């Protein structure tokens, strides 16, 4: 294991490598415990580099078995080899030469799941960010692009399937039951996009004809017997390919596109050129085993990885500081895809909720970093909500500022200019500047400054003068001491809302306004609108046009007004949600008991109105009726957080709304009962979500999960079953009916690990101080494994990040459990261990006793020897 060495990599230290690797020929002889890798690298010394400059290649836990230069075995004094580095000092004077390297690997022992490893008997690889160096010594950096030819040999019986990137150019039999395949990828790529898969899997095939008429074979590989469950993923893939042509003019470029689903995977999926490797939970779905949310995730992630073919693979990143160049942009593209496939407003609300739940706390705590970080000690710790989600918001703001046509022109220019290159954020922005004639210098601060800017808003109306004055001040509270905090270019989409629609104005000054966008550029703007006939309420940040907060929010009356009257649907949701958060915060502060009223009459009336309003789509109503989570309330409270008080307020709020609108919810529950067969489409999913919300309120109104038990027993799909089981396990965790339902679920799915993950997660998130005992007991269940990231996330991850009362037990046992689990996992999978630790990122906001307990648990972890660089990095920053 790599332990902490204290090295910090800095953006300003970037310089191109002395050598290039123009071709990479790999030959794998696959054996579970003794794989041999022979790499032949076609090297070119960069112009101007002296011939005696050593070639220094990256490695990680490697064993060198042989080395040749230009076909000649190198004398021992010609190089030095360590597990993490191979330095060749004795090199030819010619600018081009070959280096042949032989390494031996033990894939079966690789529990880090980086490099070449085994998952359920299948050989597979994960190389991003720095996994390729666990396969062979290499210039393992994204700006070294190479053309790969890969020969794979294996016993035909163990691995009938031999896959790598690009197109298959040869295959055949060998002696003793072995066989081989050779793959060639004509597109130069960085090593992090290399992939190899070998094993015995089933396949689903289809095809796609690109816009220029080329036929592409589509193949999805899954465990034998699971083929029918890959149908939705295949459909999503074809829709993604078509959409990228229509929306962005991007066409696929190889003869084949393959996806392989594996069960041991550190993340969601990986965009290796032509050979995507997926966590099987993001491929496999049918109505019996997957929820509507699972279907939506599959659609989004299939699209995301496919879209990387242009944004990431054809144009990659110069260095890992530029990670958002591919990730933020690709998230933006997958968001747009889902918005087009589903409902735009509903999708946007879901994105904003996610951003606020994950990115805002990150940006407000000890792990805050700019969208483009400037330093890292472990790059895997920077695949964050800030890089991905805020990175996507930054791209969205560019579109808002330029408008859709100029945005598209800028992106086209970026593709034209940088195809086949490893690019930077500066080059990305320059393409938009050149295509639109807009100066983005100030806008670029979004990539540099960590923290969420806050807007304070004031307004006044002069009826006689028909003048409305809006004062907006931006302030960036730097989460990192010494971080810059200059005024940003913030695009604020807006409308002036009156009782019957948006109010016209004749002139405005004090800020640049284009269409419905105010461009904030100064610390403070006083914007004067002339010719305003009646007093308006300003609806700001429509569509969440910038990732900022607004404090203080408008008063209750204005929020209620916007929730009822904003012509923008997103704006109505935003106002309602602000109103609800405020009243729930107040209830938590008052330590309201479970019977107290949380909401005033106006708010209850808005809720009831939306619940009953057939003009809204079902999914929108469901989102409006979903209360902010306990973590959401905690985030809004900000400090001295008492999770128990928040939980009590949450229960009281659910009960009050359940009672107030019981009749409406009963009608919805019965009226939306399923008819006909299940379909995962967005409209059907919307109906199920509204009915399930109604069910939840009915259960809360009566404080019993009897109705949920009935749904659980009758349901014909996993969406309804999992939701009903959650209600039972969370409302009455120890009731006989709950225990029976959990047993029935386990009996049915015990051999289906990704379905059992729901069973773990439901129990881990039950808001009850005793849940910790349950979680500990569940680690001993036969279905649990400390080696599998999905199991770890669904039990320990769900408990620590998704169970505020259970995890934040006042006695600190929750924190101790997490830290001990992290120490255990860190021994074999540092990446997953470090990710789990981010559940502690908001510890400084807890009330004092819990804060102290959290600190003690982390300090005990920090005192352990041999922590990985991954965990040490998160721990040091979190405790700092
Ligand atoms: N690019 C990969 C993530 C790799 C994470 C490495 N720690 C998946 C994605 O974002 O599409
Ligand atoms: Zn990505």
């Amino acid at each position: 294991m790599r332990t902490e060495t204290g090295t910090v990599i800095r953006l300003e230290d970037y310089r191109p490598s002395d050598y290039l690797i123009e071709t990479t020929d790999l030959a794998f002889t696959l054996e579970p415990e003794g794989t041999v890798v022979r790499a032949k690298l076609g090297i070119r010394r960069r112009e101007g580099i002296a011939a005696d400059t050593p070639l220094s290649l990256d490695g990680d836990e490697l064993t060198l078995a042989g080395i040749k230069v230009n076909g000649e075995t190198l004398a021992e004094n010609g190089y030095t080899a360590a597990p993490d580095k191979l330095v060749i000092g004795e090199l030819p004077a010619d600018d081009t030469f070959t280096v042949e390297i032989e390494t031996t690997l033990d894939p079966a022992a690789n529990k880090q799941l980086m490099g070449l490893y085994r998952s359920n008997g299948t050989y597979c690889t994960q190389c991003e960010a720095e996994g390729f160096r666990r396969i062979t010594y290499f210039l393992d950096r994204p700006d070294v692009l190479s053309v790969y030819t890969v020969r794979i040999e294996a016993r035909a019986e163990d691995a009938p399937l031999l896959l790598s990137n690009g197109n298959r150019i040869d295959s055949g039999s060998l002696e003793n039951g072995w066989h081989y395949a050779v793959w060639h990828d004509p597109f130069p790529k960085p090593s992090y996009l290399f992939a190899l898969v070998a094993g015995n899997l089933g396949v689903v095939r289809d095809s796609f004809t690109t816009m220029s008429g080329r036929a592409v074979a589509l193949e999805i590989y899954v465990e034998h017997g699971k083929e029918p469950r890959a149908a939705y993923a295949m459909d999503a893939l074809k829709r993604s390919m078509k959409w990228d042509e229509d929306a962005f003019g991007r066409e696929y470029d190889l003869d084949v596109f393959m996806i392989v689903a594996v069960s041991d995977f550190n993340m969601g999926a990986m965009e290796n050129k032509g050979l995507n490797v997926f966590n099987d939970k993001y491929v496999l779905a049918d109505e019996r085993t997957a929820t509507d949310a699972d279907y939506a995730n599959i659609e989004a992630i299939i699209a995301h990885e496919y879209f990387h073919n242009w944004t990431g693979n054809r144009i990659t990143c110069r260095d890992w500081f530029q990670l958002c160049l591919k990730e933020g942009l690709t998230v933006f593209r997958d968001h747009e895809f889902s918005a087009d496939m589903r409902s735009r407003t509903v999708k946007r609300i879901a994105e904003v909720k996610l951003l606020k739940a994950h990115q805002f706390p990150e940006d407000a705590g000890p792990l805050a970093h700019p969208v483009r970080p400037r330093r890292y000690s472990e790059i895997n710790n920077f695949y964050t909500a800030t890089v991905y989600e805020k990175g996507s918001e930054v791209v969205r703001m560019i579109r808002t500022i330029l408008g859709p046509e100029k945005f598209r022109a800028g992106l086209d220019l970026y593709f034209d200019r940088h195809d086949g290159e490893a690019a930077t954020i500066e080059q990305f922005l320059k393409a938009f500047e050149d295509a639109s004639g807009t100066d983005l210098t100030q806008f670029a601060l979004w990539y540099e400054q960590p923290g969420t800017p806050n807007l304070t808003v004031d307004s006044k109306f002069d009826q006689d003068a028909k003048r409305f004055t809006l004062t907006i001040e931006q302030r960036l509270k730097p989460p990192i001491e010494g971080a810059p905090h200059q005024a940003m270019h913030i695009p604020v989409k807006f409308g002036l809302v009156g009782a019957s629609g948006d109010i016209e104005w004749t002139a405005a000054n004090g800020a640049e306004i284009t269409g419905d966008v105010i461009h904030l550029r100064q610390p403070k703007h006083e914007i004067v609108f002339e010719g305003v006939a009646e007093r308006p309420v300003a609806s700001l940040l429509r569509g969440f046009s910038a990732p900022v907060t607004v404090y203080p929010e408008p008063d209750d009356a204005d929020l209620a007004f916007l929730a009822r009257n904003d012509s923008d649907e997103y704006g109505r949701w935003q106002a309602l949600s602000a109103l609800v958060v405020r009243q729930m915060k107040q209830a938590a502060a008052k330590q309201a008991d479970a019977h107290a009223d949380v909401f005033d009459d106006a708010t209850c009336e808005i809720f009831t109105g939306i619940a009953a309003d057939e003009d809204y789509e079902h999914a929108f109503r469901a989102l409006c009726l979903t209360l902010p989570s306990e973590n959401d309330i905690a985030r809004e409270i900000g400090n001295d957080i008492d999770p128990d008080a928040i939980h009590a307020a949450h229960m009281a709020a659910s009960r009050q709304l359940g009672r107030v609108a019981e009749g409406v919810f009963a009608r919805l529950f019965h009226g939306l009962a399923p008819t006909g067969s299940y379909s995962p489409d967005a409209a059907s999913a919307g109906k199920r979500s509204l009915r399930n919300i109604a069910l939840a309120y009915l259960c809360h109104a009566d404080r019993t999960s009897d109705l949920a038990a009935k749904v659980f027993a009758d349901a014909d799909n996993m969406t309804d079953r999992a939701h009903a089981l959650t209600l039972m396990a969370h409302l009455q965790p120890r009731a006989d009916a709950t225990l029976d339902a959990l047993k029935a679920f386990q009996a049915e799915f015990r051999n289906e690990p990704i379905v059992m993950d729901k069973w773990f997660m439901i129990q881990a998130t039950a808001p009850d101080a005793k849940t910790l005992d349950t979680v500990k007991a569940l680690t001993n269940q036969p279905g649990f494994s400390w080696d599998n990231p999905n199991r770890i996330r669904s039990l320990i991850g769900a408990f620590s990040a998704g169970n505020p009362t259970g995890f934040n037990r006042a006695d600190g046992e929750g924190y101790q459990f997490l830290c001990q689990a992290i120490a255990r996992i860190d021994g074999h999978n540092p990446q997953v261990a470090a990710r789990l630790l981010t559940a502690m990122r908001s510890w400084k906001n807890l009330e004092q006793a819990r804060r102290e307990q959290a600190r003690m648990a982390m300090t005990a972890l920090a005192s352990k020897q041999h922590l990985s660089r991954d965990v040490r990095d998160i721990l040091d920053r979190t405790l700092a």
Side-chain angles (χ1 to χ4, degrees):
M1 188 182 67
R2 294 172 311 180
T3 46
E4 155 74 91
T5 58
T7 321
V8 174
I9 318 287
R10 294 182 170 78
L11 172 58
E12 59 269 28
D13 294 341
Y14 172 84
R15 57 181 205 94
S17 60
D18 296 334
Y19 291 91
L20 302 171
I21 305 179
E22 293 180 327
T23 56
T24 301
D25 295 351
L26 299 171
F28 288 83
T29 309
L30 293 175
E31 295 265 24
E33 283 157 19
T35 288
V36 179
V37 185
R38 291 179 193 86
K40 184 172 181 181
L41 311 179
I43 309 257
R44 173 180 295 278
R45 187 179 292 116
R46 226 186 260 274
E47 242 183 81
I49 300 295
D52 62 355
T53 307
L55 170 62
S56 174
L57 301 174
D58 306 300
D60 182 11
E61 295 188 323
L62 284 180
T63 318
L64 182 70
I67 176 161
K68 291 179 184 170
V69 172
N70 278 344
E72 300 286 329
T73 299
L74 216 55
E76 268 186 26
N77 60 2
Y79 66 95
T80 54
D84 64 343
K85 206 150 236 21
L86 172 62
V87 182
I88 310 174
E90 204 177 287
L91 292 167
D94 280 1
D95 285 346
T96 57
F97 53 91
T98 62
V99 171
E100 288 166 75
I101 296 168
E102 186 174 317
T103 47
T104 49
L105 312 176
D106 182 352
N110 182 355
K111 301 290 172 206
Q112 276 192 37
L113 315 184
M114 287 296 282
L116 177 69
Y117 65 95
R118 301 266 284 171
S119 172
N120 258 353
T122 300
Y123 293 92
C124 62
T125 55
Q126 171 57 35
C127 293
E128 189 177 358
E130 296 176 339
F132 192 75
R133 62 183 67 183
R134 296 171 58 76
I135 295 173
T136 189
Y137 291 103
F138 206 75
L139 290 173
D140 192 13
R141 44 188 285 168
D143 61 346
V144 171
L145 309 186
S146 189
V147 172
Y148 284 67
T149 307
V150 180
R151 180 185 169 95
I152 313 169
E153 295 183 7
R155 223 178 302 276
E157 202 179 78
D158 301 344
L161 190 70
L162 305 172
L163 307 177
S164 190
N165 318 86
N167 301 313
R168 184 177 9 229
I169 54 169
D170 192 11
S171 62
S173 311
L174 299 166
E175 284 173 4
N176 300 325
W178 280 63
H179 72 152
Y180 74 95
V182 182
W183 291 80
H184 177 74
D185 181 358
F187 293 94
K189 65 170 176 290
S191 49
Y192 82 86
L193 290 173
F194 165 79
L196 173 154
V197 172
N200 189 352
L201 296 168
V203 63
V204 179
R205 294 179 199 280
D206 208 322
S207 68
F208 179 81
T209 305
T210 69
M211 60 191 192
S212 72
R214 283 189 320 101
V216 179
L218 308 179
E219 298 167 2
I220 301 186
Y221 293 90
V222 297
E223 270 173 36
H224 287 292
K226 301 255 167 82
E227 293 87 346
R229 288 192 208 174
Y232 186 78
M234 182 63 90
D235 180 57
L237 174 61
K238 287 190 287 181
R239 285 186 282 123
S240 305
M241 295 178 87
K242 177 79 173 79
W243 184 89
D244 211 16
E245 294 183 347
D246 295 345
F248 287 105
R250 298 294 117 199
E251 186 177 2
Y252 188 63
D253 49 16
L254 288 165
D255 301 340
V256 57
F257 186 81
M258 299 170 283
I259 291 174
V260 181
V262 300
S263 47
D264 299 88
F265 206 63
N266 279 347
M267 60 223 119
M270 179 64 213
E271 70 264 24
N272 318 300
K273 182 79 187 186
L275 177 56
N276 287 188
V277 177
F278 267 64
N279 186 326
D280 56 358
K281 75 184 265 208
Y282 295 123
V283 172
L284 301 173
D286 63 16
E287 66 204 70
R288 195 179 73 87
T289 55
T291 62
D292 292 332
D294 293 328
Y295 278 97
N297 280 333
I298 289 170
E299 179 176 79
I301 295 173
I302 292 270
H304 179 98
E305 306 310 332
Y306 173 74
F307 297 156
H308 266 315
N309 190 53
W310 273 96
T311 49
N313 301 4
R314 290 285 288 253
I315 305 181
T316 191
C317 305
R318 187 193 72 173
D319 52 68
W320 291 120
F321 297 103
Q322 322 293 329
L323 185 58
C324 62
L325 179 70
K326 74 179 179 83
E327 295 304 347
L329 177 55
T330 305
V331 170
F332 170 75
R333 277 150 54 67
D334 86 55
H335 283 176
E336 283 301 293
F337 168 73
S338 293
D340 281 348
M341 296 295 125
R342 292 162 180 258
S343 152
R344 194 157 269 276
T345 307
V346 166
K347 173 65 183 147
R348 188 63 188 143
I349 293 171
E351 284 158 21
V352 172
K353 285 174 79 152
L354 206 80
L355 184 81
K356 290 189 173 182
H358 298 293
Q359 200 277 327
F360 278 23
E362 184 169 272
D363 230 351
L367 299 180
H369 55 272
V371 172
R372 180 174 63 180
R374 298 190 67 84
R375 40 199 48 20
Y376 62 79
S377 62
E378 172 49 63
I379 187 56
N380 283 314
N381 287 339
F382 283 86
Y383 287 76
T384 58
T386 298
V387 167
Y388 275 65
E389 312 302 329
K390 189 173 178 182
S392 162
E393 293 305 317
V394 174
V395 176
R396 182 175 295 276
M397 286 191 285
I398 298 176
R399 189 180 62 175
T400 304
I401 289 169
L402 302 188
E405 287 82 21
K406 286 183 184 159
F407 175 78
R408 173 68 198 270
L411 210 50
D412 285 349
L413 185 58
Y414 169 70
F415 288 127
D416 285 350
R417 268 188 193 166
H418 300 293
D419 186 10
E421 292 179 8
T424 61
I425 289 299
E426 282 74 12
Q427 291 171 324
F428 179 66
L429 290 176
K430 184 81 170 54
F432 289 106
E433 290 189 322
D434 291 352
S436 69
T438 308
D439 180 356
L440 295 174
T441 313
Q442 187 185 12
F443 182 80
L445 288 170
W446 279 104
Y447 287 99
E448 307 296 335
Q449 303 195 140
T452 307
N454 183 58
L455 304 183
T456 41
V457 180
D458 208 359
S459 66
K460 57 178 192 282
F461 180 60
D462 182 338
Q463 179 73 70
D464 296 335
K466 295 197 165 84
R467 180 176 297 138
F468 180 66
T469 309
L470 198 53
T471 310
I472 310 181
E473 206 171 334
Q474 60 164 296
R475 199 160 293 160
L476 186 63
K477 190 167 141 254
I480 301 171
E481 214 180 312
H485 51 285
Q486 299 164 35
M488 314 263 249
H489 180 179
I490 302 177
V492 178
K493 276 200 189 188
F494 80 111
L496 303 185
V497 179
S500 43
D502 281 9
I503 299 172
E504 303 286 316
W505 42 275
T506 50
N509 54 62
E512 185 197 350
I513 298 182
T514 53
D516 60 352
V517 180
I518 304 172
H519 297 264
L520 303 180
R521 291 172 178 276
Q522 307 297 329
K524 186 174 180 177
H525 287 266
E526 196 175 89
I527 308 157
V528 182
F529 296 90
E530 306 286 355
V532 181
E534 58 173 298
R535 177 192 176 263
V537 178
S539 166
L540 301 177
L541 292 173
R542 283 179 168 174
F544 207 61
S545 60
V548 302
T549 51
V550 179
Y551 288 118
E553 301 268 15
D555 64 23
D556 281 9
D558 280 357
L559 286 177
F561 181 83
L562 287 174
R564 288 195 180 99
N565 299 301
D566 199 333
S567 61
D568 181 65
E569 230 178 53
Y570 175 87
R572 284 200 288 276
W573 171 82
Q574 181 171 257
L576 174 62
S577 115
L579 190 62
V580 166
V581 166
R582 175 182 297 156
Q583 295 180 9
M584 288 178 73
K585 262 166 76 172
Q586 286 162 353
K590 279 193 292 206
Q591 305 268 339
D593 68 34
H595 296 275
D597 277 348
V598 172
F599 301 116
D600 60 20
D601 291 347
T603 307
C604 290
E605 199 193 300
I606 296 170
F607 263 115
T608 315
I610 291 171
D613 192 336
E614 299 288 334
D615 287 343
Y616 290 123
E617 58 188 323
H618 296 108
F620 178 77
R621 285 152 80 190
L623 278 175
C624 288
L625 293 169
T626 304
L627 293 179
S629 71
E630 290 170 30
N631 281 335
D632 290 335
I633 307 293
R635 181 190 70 238
E636 298 292 329
I637 292 174
N639 51 39
D640 265 327
I641 287 160
D642 173 359
D644 293 329
I646 296 173
H647 177 65
H650 208 275
M651 293 298 281
S654 300
R655 183 177 160 89
Q656 184 192 2
L657 290 182
R659 297 213 145 185
V660 167
E662 200 159 1
V664 183
F665 290 132
R667 275 201 301 284
L668 286 174
F669 177 73
H670 294 293
L672 292 169
T675 50
S677 58
Y678 174 92
S679 159
D681 68 273
S684 312
K687 276 189 195 160
R688 279 186 288 276
S689 67
L690 184 56
R691 179 173 192 252
N692 282 330
I693 285 284
L695 168 64
Y697 279 117
L698 293 172
C699 290
H700 277 281
D702 294 343
R703 292 272 194 82
T704 121
S705 50
D706 293 355
L707 194 57
K710 194 173 155 11
V711 171
F712 180 78
D714 296 347
D716 65 352
N717 64 79
M718 182 53 84
T719 305
D720 294 342
R721 287 185 91 185
H723 180 261
L725 188 60
T726 306
L727 283 174
M728 296 171 78
H730 291 192
L731 277 174
Q732 295 183 291
R734 278 175 288 282
D736 285 345
T738 304
L739 299 175
D740 288 347
L742 285 167
K743 274 202 200 102
F745 192 100
Q746 183 185 24
E748 184 171 348
F749 297 111
R750 58 166 20 109
N751 296 321
E752 309 238 25
I754 54 174
V755 189
M756 285 302 285
D757 285 342
K758 300 184 194 307
W759 186 82
F760 285 120
M761 188 179 291
I762 288 169
Q763 295 178 77
T765 49
D768 185 316
K770 290 209 174 63
T771 298
L772 177 59
D773 303 331
T774 312
V775 171
K776 286 182 180 167
L778 286 173
T779 60
N780 296 316
Q781 275 282 330
F784 183 77
S785 158
W786 289 96
D787 287 346
N788 181 285
N790 286 1
R791 297 307 89 72
I792 293 171
R793 282 188 286 257
S794 61
L795 185 60
I796 299 165
F799 174 67
S800 51
N803 188 342
T805 46
F807 175 59
N808 294 294
R809 267 168 55 150
D811 63 6
E813 296 256 351
Y815 311 135
Q816 286 166 33
F817 167 74
L818 177 68
C819 289
Q820 284 157 9
I822 287 167
R824 177 174 182 161
I825 296 161
D826 194 38
H828 60 276
N829 192 334
Q831 229 180 98
V832 167
R835 185 51 70 108
L836 277 182
L837 186 55
T838 62
M840 302 294 287
R841 67 184 169 203
S842 300
W843 71 282
K844 287 180 182 161
N845 302 343
L846 292 163
E847 54 80 24
Q848 200 243 321
R850 285 176 170 88
R851 206 184 315 150
E852 186 50 25
Q853 293 286 0
R855 198 186 57 74
M856 274 162 37
M858 283 188 286
T859 309
L861 179 60
S863 72
K864 292 208 186 307
Q865 305 273 305
H866 308 303
L867 284 180
S868 67
R869 180 164 67 210
D870 310 56
V871 166
R872 182 67 69 190
D873 168 43
I874 300 278
L875 202 49
D876 286 352
R877 286 191 281 145
T878 305
L879 279 168

